[in-house]
Amino acid sequence: LGRCASVRTDSSSFVTVSRDKKLKIWDKEKEEKEEESKVVWREVCSRTFHTSITAVDISPSGLILLGFETGDISIVERRGLEVELLSSLPRNQCATLTINTVQWRPGEEKGGEEWMFAACSDDNSLLIISASPTPNTVHEP
């Protein structure tokens, strides 16, 4: 039931999301066997949400931007083996239909005081959002 994926810029991990409401984070590991070595991807943590996840983007620092079937948008972060919900946009700032694409602003995390990202939706909207890195009203989408 895979829906979409996003790879971290340093290629150390990637994130998959799907309509089965699951987010999974995968890390790269190297397996050494006698005279050969190969790269293996292992699922290291996951989280199940209350609604289908339809879009994802991961920033260079590992912040994960999620778009949902309901039009909601959230930001999560891996903390050890857990996925923590950092922030969700207030419902009146979200789209009315399914989010198809989310994208962090390139270079956004160089010590800025706000996050900026874009989202496209089935309602034909293009949202350009600036959000504070401090958690706001967090609700589970």
Side-chain angles (χ1 to χ4, degrees), residues 28-41:
K28 184 190 310 188
E29 295 179 4
K30 208 176 219 184
E31 278 191 354
E32 306 275 343
K33 289 186 179 178
E34 294 183 21
E35 293 183 22
E36 68 178 64
S37 68
K38 65 179 181 176
V39 173
V40 176
W41 292 94

Side-chain angles (χ1 to χ4, degrees), residues 78-133:
R78 175 182 172 185
R79 301 252 170 108
L81 298 178
E82 302 293 323
V83 177
E84 182 177 329
L85 180 61
L86 297 181
S87 186
S88 295
L89 286 183
R91 189 68 197 114
N92 65 350
Q93 292 181 13
C94 295
T96 58
L97 296 175
T98 301
I99 299 290
N100 295 311
T101 304
V102 290
Q103 180 73 51
W104 286 108
R105 177 181 173 192
E108 186 58 30
E109 295 183 58
K110 295 182 178 160
E113 295 193 15
E114 67 179 10
W115 297 323
M116 185 174 276
F117 55 87
C120 297
S121 169
D122 276 350
D123 64 9
N124 294 316
S125 65
L126 167 62
L127 305 171
I128 308 293
I129 305 291
S130 291
S132 170

Side-chain angles (χ1 to χ4, degrees), residues 41-76:
W41 292 94
R42 300 213 190 281
E43 179 185 333
V44 291
C45 60
S46 66
R47 180 172 177 155
T48 301
F49 289 84
H50 297 295
T51 189
S52 296
I53 312 166
T54 54
V56 64
D57 191 32
I58 187 169
S59 72
S61 71
L63 290 177
I64 302 166
L65 183 59
L66 300 173
F68 293 88
E69 188 172 57
T70 56
D72 289 309
I73 298 170
S74 293
I75 299 168
V76 299

